[in-house]
Amino acid sequence: MRSKYERPVSLLSRPSGQRLTTSAMIASLAGPDQRTRPAPFGHALAALAETRPEIVGLTADLGKYTDLHIFAKAHPDRFYQMGMSEQLLMCAAAGMAQEGFMPFATTYAVFAARRAYDFICLAIAEANLNVKVVCALPGLTTGYGPSHQATEDIAIFRGMPNLTIIDPCDALEIEQAVPAIAAHQGPVYMRLLRGNVPLVLDGYGYQFELGKAKLLRDGNDVLIVSSGLMTMRALETADQLRADHVDAGVLHVSTIKPLDEDTIIRAAAKPGRLVVVAENHSRIGGLGEAVAATLMRAGVTPAFRQVALPDEFLDAGALPTLHDRYGISTAAMTASIQRWLAA
Amino acid sequence: MQSQVVRPNAPNLAEHAYRIRRNALLMGEVQGQGYIAQALGVADVLAVAYFHAMRYRPEDPEWEGRDRFLLSIGHYAIALYAALIEAGIIPENELETYGCDDSRLPMSGMASYTPGMEISGGSLGHGLALAVGYALGLKRKKSDAFVYCLFSDGECGEGAVWEAASGAGHWKLDNLIGIVDVNNQQADGPASEVTGGLEALADRFTAFGWYAQRVDGNDIAALTAAFDAARIAAVAQPRVIVCDTRMAKGVPFLEQREQNHFLRVEPDEWQKALAALEAGRAA
Ligand SMILES: Cc1ncc(C[n+]2csc(CCOP(=O)(O)OP(=O)(O)O)c2C)c(N)n1
Ligand SMILES: [Mg+2]
């Protein structure tokens, strides 16, 4: 724990051009040369709503910040601005679902998981309603500190019966996931990347299927099991490891619940590989522990490591700094795996 | 209640407000964007709070006898840092670290980072409910300190605000002074459209048993009178001052710009903004 106010004032001696700022990456997670698509969720939902008149969009003062404003612009009469009232947002969505509509309700992951949990749990999940809860800023995707960093959202939601949980990797997968979760009857929690979202999976002939893990590349030395933006990092890590003559495979598990246990067990059972689970989430209660328990139950026990956020309230700062500090940048992940292989 | 609750008007409240705005602009420039219009809008309120109403010791921000100031709206940290610098609680040279890695001045206010920051706000809706606890605790300790809580029009959408309003009224917390910044703005647009009900805000608090006032939050004389009344009113009720403020107040070309929760200011505009502010100071 940090002692009160203790900050290196040596920061002042750094030339101001060399200071990384918190707001630098507010709009996008993408690297400078990365291909992106703007607001994939908003565009996909607006398009789907053309043929699905029961779809409505609700937000709690975060339409612009969850890309729902694109839907609102295309279908103004089907957009409900609930004000900054997350509990109302979830219960109102439940009420509309009871009346036969399919609400997509958006806010930030922290406010759904923490403030509105009880409302989602009983009004939506217990009634098994067709509400899709779509939340920006999952895991560590903002430098604003613990009030905005949803480092334990999956741990919170995994315990909720009836709820399907997905953690898409890129713009393509978000576009594919929107119709897929609409086709699924029941509540869904989707972690959302917003703004200019990186485009990665098109290079792998990827097709999202709800409940299915997909092997994006195979490798003989390491199997990286990952979700969300960490799959993008895992693919980069695999490239970097190849330069070191380490052969790494990547199994992308974008449906966290229900987990594609068969595919995971089969991949992890292939002998001689280190299994690394990489997630943009606390090491507690996320994909890593879900995979570990699955393998233990099946009697499959490879060498196992986690790339995940520490069990701490994290710092404020610029995202690249924080991703390095907490071990989820490509460079940090590559170094961890090299260290584990050498041990 | 505090002794000497009515103090002579500090003659230079407008000058303090000017300097708070200037500090905010200098911090805003470090990020190039952010909650700058809010900070400019609420500067007069903070000048009156810190240089007329509140009791504190700059050299000892944790002094037991201080009035507590709870910033519920964590994103307004830039405004509070500007005031804390002007009050001598944070050294002026730190403003250039605003929102930088390892700074004591993160973009969202947090108690563990910054002297003078009592709570970690940012998950909106906590402040007023926390203030109820502070007020109960101070009463239990027989302290005569006040608890001030700054929250916002958009924040009034949160149910927890109204749980706190009800609780404070029930407990007759006359040592609690709520300040609502009504700038008619929130993340998705004008608060009058996104949330609504702004005209009735003071009445809503009155209905919960509060002593409510509504003032022009950019009129220093009106603010001074309202803070005085809030402190001395001989009623066993929590107090609220609903402050109507103008976003970006003091920098006319930013006031005229389409109002935005997260304002982008171009690199060449900062000097212009400082100059415009300075021009208003002389006037
Ligand atoms: C519980 C919660 N929900 C949503 C947000 C995201 N958010 C941050 S500021 C803001 C707008 C708040 O309204 P207000 O303070 O009036 O906005 P401003 O005047 O600064 O534009 C929102 C929705 C939050 N911080 N906390
Ligand atoms: Mg506002």
PDB file of all heavy atoms in Angstrom, chain A residues 22 25-29 108-109 135-144 148-151 191-194 229 233 280 309 314 317-319 322-323 328:
ATOM      1  N   THR A  22      -2.237  11.249 -18.624  1.00  0.00           N
ATOM      2  CA  THR A  22      -3.352  10.321 -18.477  1.00  0.00           C
ATOM      3  C   THR A  22      -4.307  10.396 -19.655  1.00  0.00           C
ATOM      4  O   THR A  22      -4.856   9.389 -20.097  1.00  0.00           O
ATOM      5  CB  THR A  22      -4.121  10.654 -17.187  1.00  0.00           C
ATOM      6  OG1 THR A  22      -3.198  10.587 -16.108  1.00  0.00           O
ATOM      7  CG2 THR A  22      -5.253   9.676 -16.951  1.00  0.00           C
ATOM      8  N   MET A  25      -4.387   8.731 -24.152  1.00  0.00           N
ATOM      9  CA  MET A  25      -4.986   7.609 -24.881  1.00  0.00           C
ATOM     10  C   MET A  25      -6.451   7.440 -24.570  1.00  0.00           C
ATOM     11  O   MET A  25      -6.981   6.348 -24.594  1.00  0.00           O
ATOM     12  CB  MET A  25      -4.233   6.331 -24.532  1.00  0.00           C
ATOM     13  CG  MET A  25      -2.811   6.392 -24.959  1.00  0.00           C
ATOM     14  SD  MET A  25      -2.020   4.827 -24.785  1.00  0.00           S
ATOM     15  CE  MET A  25      -2.852   3.844 -26.000  1.00  0.00           C
ATOM     16  N   ILE A  26      -7.116   8.552 -24.309  1.00  0.00           N
ATOM     17  CA  ILE A  26      -8.489   8.452 -23.871  1.00  0.00           C
ATOM     18  C   ILE A  26      -9.406   7.915 -24.975  1.00  0.00           C
ATOM     19  O   ILE A  26     -10.349   7.182 -24.726  1.00  0.00           O
ATOM     20  CB  ILE A  26      -8.950   9.825 -23.325  1.00  0.00           C
ATOM     21  CG1 ILE A  26      -9.322   9.659 -21.873  1.00  0.00           C
ATOM     22  CG2 ILE A  26     -10.101  10.426 -24.112  1.00  0.00           C
ATOM     23  CD1 ILE A  26      -9.157  10.884 -21.067  1.00  0.00           C
ATOM     24  N   ALA A  27      -9.099   8.238 -26.230  1.00  0.00           N
ATOM     25  CA  ALA A  27     -10.021   7.887 -27.309  1.00  0.00           C
ATOM     26  C   ALA A  27      -9.815   6.474 -27.826  1.00  0.00           C
ATOM     27  O   ALA A  27     -10.735   5.847 -28.318  1.00  0.00           O
ATOM     28  CB  ALA A  27      -9.880   8.876 -28.453  1.00  0.00           C
ATOM     29  N   SER A  28      -8.619   5.958 -27.742  1.00  0.00           N
ATOM     30  CA  SER A  28      -8.358   4.694 -28.408  1.00  0.00           C
ATOM     31  C   SER A  28      -7.220   3.950 -27.747  1.00  0.00           C
ATOM     32  O   SER A  28      -6.279   4.526 -27.233  1.00  0.00           O
ATOM     33  CB  SER A  28      -7.994   4.970 -29.868  1.00  0.00           C
ATOM     34  OG  SER A  28      -7.597   3.785 -30.489  1.00  0.00           O
ATOM     35  N   LEU A  29      -7.323   2.624 -27.810  1.00  0.00           N
ATOM     36  CA  LEU A  29      -6.273   1.767 -27.283  1.00  0.00           C
ATOM     37  C   LEU A  29      -5.224   1.466 -28.337  1.00  0.00           C
ATOM     38  O   LEU A  29      -4.213   0.847 -28.058  1.00  0.00           O
ATOM     39  CB  LEU A  29      -6.881   0.417 -26.920  1.00  0.00           C
ATOM     40  CG  LEU A  29      -7.455   0.218 -25.549  1.00  0.00           C
ATOM     41  CD1 LEU A  29      -8.135  -1.126 -25.529  1.00  0.00           C
ATOM     42  CD2 LEU A  29      -6.358   0.288 -24.518  1.00  0.00           C
ATOM     43  N   TYR A 108     -20.230   2.278 -18.038  1.00  0.00           N
ATOM     44  CA  TYR A 108     -18.875   1.756 -17.863  1.00  0.00           C
ATOM     45  C   TYR A 108     -18.943   0.475 -17.025  1.00  0.00           C
ATOM     46  O   TYR A 108     -19.851   0.311 -16.192  1.00  0.00           O
ATOM     47  CB  TYR A 108     -17.983   2.778 -17.148  1.00  0.00           C
ATOM     48  CG  TYR A 108     -17.560   3.954 -17.997  1.00  0.00           C
ATOM     49  CD1 TYR A 108     -17.052   5.101 -17.399  1.00  0.00           C
ATOM     50  CD2 TYR A 108     -17.637   3.922 -19.391  1.00  0.00           C
ATOM     51  CE1 TYR A 108     -16.656   6.194 -18.160  1.00  0.00           C
ATOM     52  CE2 TYR A 108     -17.235   5.005 -20.158  1.00  0.00           C
ATOM     53  CZ  TYR A 108     -16.748   6.146 -19.539  1.00  0.00           C
ATOM     54  OH  TYR A 108     -16.348   7.218 -20.286  1.00  0.00           O
ATOM     55  N   ALA A 109     -17.958  -0.390 -17.234  1.00  0.00           N
ATOM     56  CA  ALA A 109     -17.951  -1.689 -16.558  1.00  0.00           C
ATOM     57  C   ALA A 109     -17.992  -1.543 -15.035  1.00  0.00           C
ATOM     58  O   ALA A 109     -18.694  -2.295 -14.356  1.00  0.00           O
ATOM     59  CB  ALA A 109     -16.714  -2.487 -16.988  1.00  0.00           C
ATOM     60  N   CYS A 135     -20.559  -2.773 -21.750  1.00  0.00           N
ATOM     61  CA  CYS A 135     -19.842  -1.848 -20.883  1.00  0.00           C
ATOM     62  C   CYS A 135     -18.441  -1.513 -21.366  1.00  0.00           C
ATOM     63  O   CYS A 135     -17.597  -2.398 -21.568  1.00  0.00           O
ATOM     64  CB  CYS A 135     -19.738  -2.440 -19.483  1.00  0.00           C
ATOM     65  SG  CYS A 135     -21.355  -2.524 -18.716  1.00  0.00           S
ATOM     66  N   ALA A 136     -18.192  -0.217 -21.478  1.00  0.00           N
ATOM     67  CA  ALA A 136     -16.871   0.272 -21.856  1.00  0.00           C
ATOM     68  C   ALA A 136     -15.944   0.312 -20.640  1.00  0.00           C
ATOM     69  O   ALA A 136     -16.387   0.197 -19.506  1.00  0.00           O
ATOM     70  CB  ALA A 136     -16.985   1.659 -22.474  1.00  0.00           C
ATOM     71  N   LEU A 137     -14.670   0.505 -20.914  1.00  0.00           N
ATOM     72  CA  LEU A 137     -13.597   0.561 -19.917  1.00  0.00           C
ATOM     73  C   LEU A 137     -13.510  -0.703 -19.067  1.00  0.00           C
ATOM     74  O   LEU A 137     -13.520  -0.650 -17.838  1.00  0.00           O
ATOM     75  CB  LEU A 137     -13.725   1.802 -19.017  1.00  0.00           C
ATOM     76  CG  LEU A 137     -13.749   3.150 -19.731  1.00  0.00           C
ATOM     77  CD1 LEU A 137     -13.676   4.298 -18.709  1.00  0.00           C
ATOM     78  CD2 LEU A 137     -12.593   3.278 -20.717  1.00  0.00           C
ATOM     79  N   PRO A 138     -13.397  -1.878 -19.726  1.00  0.00           N
ATOM     80  CA  PRO A 138     -13.197  -3.103 -18.955  1.00  0.00           C
ATOM     81  C   PRO A 138     -11.749  -3.209 -18.462  1.00  0.00           C
ATOM     82  O   PRO A 138     -10.833  -2.710 -19.121  1.00  0.00           O
ATOM     83  CB  PRO A 138     -13.482  -4.196 -19.984  1.00  0.00           C
ATOM     84  CG  PRO A 138     -13.065  -3.600 -21.288  1.00  0.00           C
ATOM     85  CD  PRO A 138     -13.400  -2.127 -21.185  1.00  0.00           C
ATOM     86  N   GLY A 139     -11.563  -3.852 -17.328  1.00  0.00           N
ATOM     87  CA  GLY A 139     -10.200  -4.087 -16.832  1.00  0.00           C
ATOM     88  C   GLY A 139      -9.444  -2.786 -16.683  1.00  0.00           C
ATOM     89  O   GLY A 139      -9.971  -1.790 -16.170  1.00  0.00           O
ATOM     90  N   LEU A 140      -8.215  -2.788 -17.159  1.00  0.00           N
ATOM     91  CA  LEU A 140      -7.362  -1.599 -17.063  1.00  0.00           C
ATOM     92  C   LEU A 140      -7.315  -0.926 -18.433  1.00  0.00           C
ATOM     93  O   LEU A 140      -6.383  -1.125 -19.200  1.00  0.00           O
ATOM     94  CB  LEU A 140      -5.960  -2.011 -16.593  1.00  0.00           C
ATOM     95  CG  LEU A 140      -4.903  -0.895 -16.486  1.00  0.00           C
ATOM     96  CD1 LEU A 140      -5.369   0.237 -15.593  1.00  0.00           C
ATOM     97  CD2 LEU A 140      -3.578  -1.463 -15.976  1.00  0.00           C
ATOM     98  N   THR A 141      -8.358  -0.154 -18.752  1.00  0.00           N
ATOM     99  CA  THR A 141      -8.352   0.571 -20.023  1.00  0.00           C
ATOM    100  C   THR A 141      -8.578   2.062 -19.816  1.00  0.00           C
ATOM    101  O   THR A 141      -8.946   2.775 -20.734  1.00  0.00           O
ATOM    102  CB  THR A 141      -9.395   0.001 -21.013  1.00  0.00           C
ATOM    103  OG1 THR A 141     -10.648  -0.137 -20.342  1.00  0.00           O
ATOM    104  CG2 THR A 141      -8.970  -1.357 -21.535  1.00  0.00           C
ATOM    105  N   THR A 142      -8.355   2.532 -18.593  1.00  0.00           N
ATOM    106  CA  THR A 142      -8.341   3.966 -18.331  1.00  0.00           C
ATOM    107  C   THR A 142      -7.324   4.238 -17.238  1.00  0.00           C
ATOM    108  O   THR A 142      -7.115   3.408 -16.351  1.00  0.00           O
ATOM    109  CB  THR A 142      -9.719   4.500 -17.886  1.00  0.00           C
ATOM    110  OG1 THR A 142      -9.534   5.788 -17.253  1.00  0.00           O
ATOM    111  CG2 THR A 142     -10.390   3.588 -16.889  1.00  0.00           C
ATOM    112  N   GLY A 143      -6.734   5.410 -17.311  1.00  0.00           N
ATOM    113  CA  GLY A 143      -5.736   5.796 -16.314  1.00  0.00           C
ATOM    114  C   GLY A 143      -6.313   6.599 -15.162  1.00  0.00           C
ATOM    115  O   GLY A 143      -5.570   7.248 -14.427  1.00  0.00           O
ATOM    116  N   TYR A 144      -7.630   6.578 -14.987  1.00  0.00           N
ATOM    117  CA  TYR A 144      -8.262   7.425 -13.958  1.00  0.00           C
ATOM    118  C   TYR A 144      -8.187   6.864 -12.547  1.00  0.00           C
ATOM    119  O   TYR A 144      -8.680   7.493 -11.624  1.00  0.00           O
ATOM    120  CB  TYR A 144      -9.733   7.662 -14.309  1.00  0.00           C
ATOM    121  CG  TYR A 144      -9.974   8.811 -15.253  1.00  0.00           C
ATOM    122  CD1 TYR A 144      -8.987   9.232 -16.132  1.00  0.00           C
ATOM    123  CD2 TYR A 144     -11.176   9.487 -15.269  1.00  0.00           C
ATOM    124  CE1 TYR A 144      -9.207  10.277 -17.000  1.00  0.00           C
ATOM    125  CE2 TYR A 144     -11.399  10.542 -16.140  1.00  0.00           C
ATOM    126  CZ  TYR A 144     -10.414  10.929 -17.005  1.00  0.00           C
ATOM    127  OH  TYR A 144     -10.649  11.965 -17.865  1.00  0.00           O
ATOM    128  N   HIS A 148     -12.574   4.128 -11.914  1.00  0.00           N
ATOM    129  CA  HIS A 148     -12.949   3.825 -13.293  1.00  0.00           C
ATOM    130  C   HIS A 148     -12.349   2.521 -13.818  1.00  0.00           C
ATOM    131  O   HIS A 148     -12.640   2.125 -14.936  1.00  0.00           O
ATOM    132  CB  HIS A 148     -12.543   4.979 -14.218  1.00  0.00           C
ATOM    133  CG  HIS A 148     -13.451   6.179 -14.094  1.00  0.00           C
ATOM    134  ND1 HIS A 148     -13.558   6.919 -12.936  1.00  0.00           N
ATOM    135  CD2 HIS A 148     -14.314   6.753 -14.973  1.00  0.00           C
ATOM    136  CE1 HIS A 148     -14.436   7.899 -13.114  1.00  0.00           C
ATOM    137  NE2 HIS A 148     -14.908   7.818 -14.339  1.00  0.00           N
ATOM    138  N   GLN A 149     -11.474   1.876 -13.063  1.00  0.00           N
ATOM    139  CA  GLN A 149     -10.785   0.670 -13.544  1.00  0.00           C
ATOM    140  C   GLN A 149     -11.534  -0.579 -13.084  1.00  0.00           C
ATOM    141  O   GLN A 149     -11.558  -0.906 -11.896  1.00  0.00           O
ATOM    142  CB  GLN A 149      -9.336   0.661 -13.059  1.00  0.00           C
ATOM    143  CG  GLN A 149      -8.515   1.762 -13.733  1.00  0.00           C
ATOM    144  CD  GLN A 149      -7.240   2.121 -12.987  1.00  0.00           C
ATOM    145  OE1 GLN A 149      -7.060   1.765 -11.815  1.00  0.00           O
ATOM    146  NE2 GLN A 149      -6.343   2.844 -13.659  1.00  0.00           N
ATOM    147  N   ALA A 150     -12.137  -1.278 -14.043  1.00  0.00           N
ATOM    148  CA  ALA A 150     -12.987  -2.431 -13.720  1.00  0.00           C
ATOM    149  C   ALA A 150     -12.138  -3.689 -13.666  1.00  0.00           C
ATOM    150  O   ALA A 150     -12.295  -4.602 -14.470  1.00  0.00           O
ATOM    151  CB  ALA A 150     -14.082  -2.573 -14.764  1.00  0.00           C
ATOM    152  N   THR A 151     -11.261  -3.750 -12.706  1.00  0.00           N
ATOM    153  CA  THR A 151     -10.290  -4.836 -12.661  1.00  0.00           C
ATOM    154  C   THR A 151     -10.899  -6.151 -12.179  1.00  0.00           C
ATOM    155  O   THR A 151     -10.273  -7.194 -12.290  1.00  0.00           O
ATOM    156  CB  THR A 151      -9.114  -4.459 -11.744  1.00  0.00           C
ATOM    157  OG1 THR A 151      -9.655  -4.014 -10.492  1.00  0.00           O
ATOM    158  CG2 THR A 151      -8.306  -3.330 -12.353  1.00  0.00           C
ATOM    159  N   ARG A 191     -18.005  -6.969 -22.560  1.00  0.00           N
ATOM    160  CA  ARG A 191     -16.964  -5.959 -22.328  1.00  0.00           C
ATOM    161  C   ARG A 191     -16.690  -5.267 -23.654  1.00  0.00           C
ATOM    162  O   ARG A 191     -16.466  -5.932 -24.660  1.00  0.00           O
ATOM    163  CB  ARG A 191     -15.683  -6.642 -21.857  1.00  0.00           C
ATOM    164  CG  ARG A 191     -15.721  -7.127 -20.441  1.00  0.00           C
ATOM    165  CD  ARG A 191     -14.368  -7.771 -20.124  1.00  0.00           C
ATOM    166  NE  ARG A 191     -13.797  -7.255 -18.901  1.00  0.00           N
ATOM    167  CZ  ARG A 191     -12.512  -7.349 -18.585  1.00  0.00           C
ATOM    168  NH1 ARG A 191     -11.644  -7.882 -19.442  1.00  0.00           N
ATOM    169  NH2 ARG A 191     -12.060  -6.879 -17.433  1.00  0.00           N
ATOM    170  N   LEU A 192     -16.682  -3.954 -23.627  1.00  0.00           N
ATOM    171  CA  LEU A 192     -16.634  -3.194 -24.870  1.00  0.00           C
ATOM    172  C   LEU A 192     -15.347  -2.377 -25.011  1.00  0.00           C
ATOM    173  O   LEU A 192     -14.944  -1.666 -24.098  1.00  0.00           O
ATOM    174  CB  LEU A 192     -17.831  -2.223 -24.910  1.00  0.00           C
ATOM    175  CG  LEU A 192     -17.899  -1.326 -26.138  1.00  0.00           C
ATOM    176  CD1 LEU A 192     -18.219  -2.149 -27.375  1.00  0.00           C
ATOM    177  CD2 LEU A 192     -18.953  -0.232 -25.950  1.00  0.00           C
ATOM    178  N   LEU A 193     -14.740  -2.473 -26.197  1.00  0.00           N
ATOM    179  CA  LEU A 193     -13.699  -1.523 -26.581  1.00  0.00           C
ATOM    180  C   LEU A 193     -14.385  -0.479 -27.450  1.00  0.00           C
ATOM    181  O   LEU A 193     -15.156  -0.825 -28.345  1.00  0.00           O
ATOM    182  CB  LEU A 193     -12.581  -2.237 -27.347  1.00  0.00           C
ATOM    183  CG  LEU A 193     -11.961  -3.411 -26.587  1.00  0.00           C
ATOM    184  CD1 LEU A 193     -10.940  -4.137 -27.457  1.00  0.00           C
ATOM    185  CD2 LEU A 193     -11.316  -2.950 -25.274  1.00  0.00           C
ATOM    186  N   ARG A 194     -14.128   0.783 -27.189  1.00  0.00           N
ATOM    187  CA  ARG A 194     -14.891   1.865 -27.814  1.00  0.00           C
ATOM    188  C   ARG A 194     -13.973   2.765 -28.630  1.00  0.00           C
ATOM    189  O   ARG A 194     -12.752   2.664 -28.555  1.00  0.00           O
ATOM    190  CB  ARG A 194     -15.557   2.703 -26.716  1.00  0.00           C
ATOM    191  CG  ARG A 194     -14.500   3.456 -25.928  1.00  0.00           C
ATOM    192  CD  ARG A 194     -15.049   4.413 -24.901  1.00  0.00           C
ATOM    193  NE  ARG A 194     -13.954   5.202 -24.346  1.00  0.00           N
ATOM    194  CZ  ARG A 194     -14.035   5.938 -23.254  1.00  0.00           C
ATOM    195  NH1 ARG A 194     -15.158   5.996 -22.580  1.00  0.00           N
ATOM    196  NH2 ARG A 194     -13.000   6.634 -22.840  1.00  0.00           N
ATOM    197  N   LEU A 229      -8.694  -7.722 -25.194  1.00  0.00           N
ATOM    198  CA  LEU A 229      -7.551  -7.089 -25.851  1.00  0.00           C
ATOM    199  C   LEU A 229      -6.262  -7.862 -25.613  1.00  0.00           C
ATOM    200  O   LEU A 229      -5.278  -7.679 -26.343  1.00  0.00           O
ATOM    201  CB  LEU A 229      -7.402  -5.633 -25.392  1.00  0.00           C
ATOM    202  CG  LEU A 229      -6.922  -5.369 -23.977  1.00  0.00           C
ATOM    203  CD1 LEU A 229      -5.405  -5.177 -23.944  1.00  0.00           C
ATOM    204  CD2 LEU A 229      -7.563  -4.100 -23.433  1.00  0.00           C
ATOM    205  N   ARG A 233      -2.540  -8.740 -27.743  1.00  0.00           N
ATOM    206  CA  ARG A 233      -1.200  -8.741 -27.151  1.00  0.00           C
ATOM    207  C   ARG A 233      -0.557 -10.133 -27.250  1.00  0.00           C
ATOM    208  O   ARG A 233       0.650 -10.260 -27.456  1.00  0.00           O
ATOM    209  CB  ARG A 233      -1.274  -8.307 -25.674  1.00  0.00           C
ATOM    210  CG  ARG A 233      -1.895  -6.933 -25.474  1.00  0.00           C
ATOM    211  CD  ARG A 233      -0.838  -5.856 -25.374  1.00  0.00           C
ATOM    212  NE  ARG A 233      -1.354  -4.536 -25.702  1.00  0.00           N
ATOM    213  CZ  ARG A 233      -1.819  -3.647 -24.826  1.00  0.00           C
ATOM    214  NH1 ARG A 233      -1.803  -3.925 -23.531  1.00  0.00           N
ATOM    215  NH2 ARG A 233      -2.250  -2.478 -25.214  1.00  0.00           N
ATOM    216  N   ASN A 280      -7.066  -9.196 -19.243  1.00  0.00           N
ATOM    217  CA  ASN A 280      -7.096  -7.807 -18.798  1.00  0.00           C
ATOM    218  C   ASN A 280      -8.045  -7.725 -17.606  1.00  0.00           C
ATOM    219  O   ASN A 280      -9.158  -7.206 -17.676  1.00  0.00           O
ATOM    220  CB  ASN A 280      -7.576  -6.932 -19.976  1.00  0.00           C
ATOM    221  CG  ASN A 280      -7.901  -5.512 -19.559  1.00  0.00           C
ATOM    222  OD1 ASN A 280      -7.297  -4.968 -18.637  1.00  0.00           O
ATOM    223  ND2 ASN A 280      -8.878  -4.910 -20.238  1.00  0.00           N
ATOM    224  N   LEU A 309      -3.748  -8.791 -13.900  1.00  0.00           N
ATOM    225  CA  LEU A 309      -3.500  -7.645 -13.024  1.00  0.00           C
ATOM    226  C   LEU A 309      -3.359  -8.109 -11.586  1.00  0.00           C
ATOM    227  O   LEU A 309      -3.994  -9.089 -11.175  1.00  0.00           O
ATOM    228  CB  LEU A 309      -4.656  -6.648 -13.157  1.00  0.00           C
ATOM    229  CG  LEU A 309      -4.848  -6.102 -14.578  1.00  0.00           C
ATOM    230  CD1 LEU A 309      -6.169  -5.344 -14.706  1.00  0.00           C
ATOM    231  CD2 LEU A 309      -3.671  -5.203 -14.952  1.00  0.00           C
ATOM    232  N   LEU A 314      -5.233  -0.128  -8.476  1.00  0.00           N
ATOM    233  CA  LEU A 314      -4.129   0.249  -9.359  1.00  0.00           C
ATOM    234  C   LEU A 314      -3.932   1.761  -9.399  1.00  0.00           C
ATOM    235  O   LEU A 314      -4.801   2.542  -9.020  1.00  0.00           O
ATOM    236  CB  LEU A 314      -4.403  -0.284 -10.772  1.00  0.00           C
ATOM    237  CG  LEU A 314      -4.720  -1.781 -10.857  1.00  0.00           C
ATOM    238  CD1 LEU A 314      -4.898  -2.213 -12.307  1.00  0.00           C
ATOM    239  CD2 LEU A 314      -3.644  -2.625 -10.173  1.00  0.00           C
ATOM    240  N   GLY A 317      -2.598   7.066 -14.216  1.00  0.00           N
ATOM    241  CA  GLY A 317      -1.485   7.399 -15.097  1.00  0.00           C
ATOM    242  C   GLY A 317      -1.819   7.091 -16.539  1.00  0.00           C
ATOM    243  O   GLY A 317      -2.968   6.789 -16.869  1.00  0.00           O
ATOM    244  N   ALA A 318      -0.802   7.189 -17.389  1.00  0.00           N
ATOM    245  CA  ALA A 318      -1.010   6.896 -18.810  1.00  0.00           C
ATOM    246  C   ALA A 318      -1.087   5.382 -18.998  1.00  0.00           C
ATOM    247  O   ALA A 318      -0.341   4.625 -18.364  1.00  0.00           O
ATOM    248  CB  ALA A 318       0.139   7.478 -19.628  1.00  0.00           C
ATOM    249  N   LEU A 319      -1.956   4.940 -19.901  1.00  0.00           N
ATOM    250  CA  LEU A 319      -2.157   3.497 -20.063  1.00  0.00           C
ATOM    251  C   LEU A 319      -0.889   2.723 -20.424  1.00  0.00           C
ATOM    252  O   LEU A 319      -0.649   1.657 -19.862  1.00  0.00           O
ATOM    253  CB  LEU A 319      -3.235   3.217 -21.104  1.00  0.00           C
ATOM    254  CG  LEU A 319      -4.668   3.184 -20.591  1.00  0.00           C
ATOM    255  CD1 LEU A 319      -5.592   2.747 -21.711  1.00  0.00           C
ATOM    256  CD2 LEU A 319      -4.822   2.263 -19.391  1.00  0.00           C
ATOM    257  N   LEU A 322       0.972   2.109 -17.349  1.00  0.00           N
ATOM    258  CA  LEU A 322       0.305   1.190 -16.414  1.00  0.00           C
ATOM    259  C   LEU A 322       0.334  -0.243 -16.933  1.00  0.00           C
ATOM    260  O   LEU A 322       0.513  -1.187 -16.165  1.00  0.00           O
ATOM    261  CB  LEU A 322      -1.137   1.647 -16.165  1.00  0.00           C
ATOM    262  CG  LEU A 322      -1.287   3.047 -15.549  1.00  0.00           C
ATOM    263  CD1 LEU A 322      -2.765   3.399 -15.371  1.00  0.00           C
ATOM    264  CD2 LEU A 322      -0.562   3.155 -14.203  1.00  0.00           C
ATOM    265  N   HIS A 323       0.172  -0.407 -18.254  1.00  0.00           N
ATOM    266  CA  HIS A 323       0.208  -1.772 -18.810  1.00  0.00           C
ATOM    267  C   HIS A 323       1.592  -2.397 -18.627  1.00  0.00           C
ATOM    268  O   HIS A 323       1.712  -3.587 -18.340  1.00  0.00           O
ATOM    269  CB  HIS A 323      -0.210  -1.757 -20.285  1.00  0.00           C
ATOM    270  CG  HIS A 323      -1.700  -1.622 -20.473  1.00  0.00           C
ATOM    271  ND1 HIS A 323      -2.326  -1.785 -21.683  1.00  0.00           N
ATOM    272  CD2 HIS A 323      -2.691  -1.353 -19.582  1.00  0.00           C
ATOM    273  CE1 HIS A 323      -3.642  -1.621 -21.533  1.00  0.00           C
ATOM    274  NE2 HIS A 323      -3.877  -1.344 -20.276  1.00  0.00           N
ATOM    275  N   ILE A 328       0.846  -6.334 -18.392  1.00  0.00           N
ATOM    276  CA  ILE A 328      -0.037  -6.787 -19.474  1.00  0.00           C
ATOM    277  C   ILE A 328       0.286  -6.146 -20.826  1.00  0.00           C
ATOM    278  O   ILE A 328      -0.456  -6.336 -21.788  1.00  0.00           O
ATOM    279  CB  ILE A 328      -1.537  -6.616 -19.130  1.00  0.00           C
ATOM    280  CG1 ILE A 328      -1.925  -5.146 -18.975  1.00  0.00           C
ATOM    281  CG2 ILE A 328      -1.905  -7.406 -17.877  1.00  0.00           C
ATOM    282  CD1 ILE A 328      -3.447  -4.920 -18.949  1.00  0.00           C
TER     283      ILE A 328
END
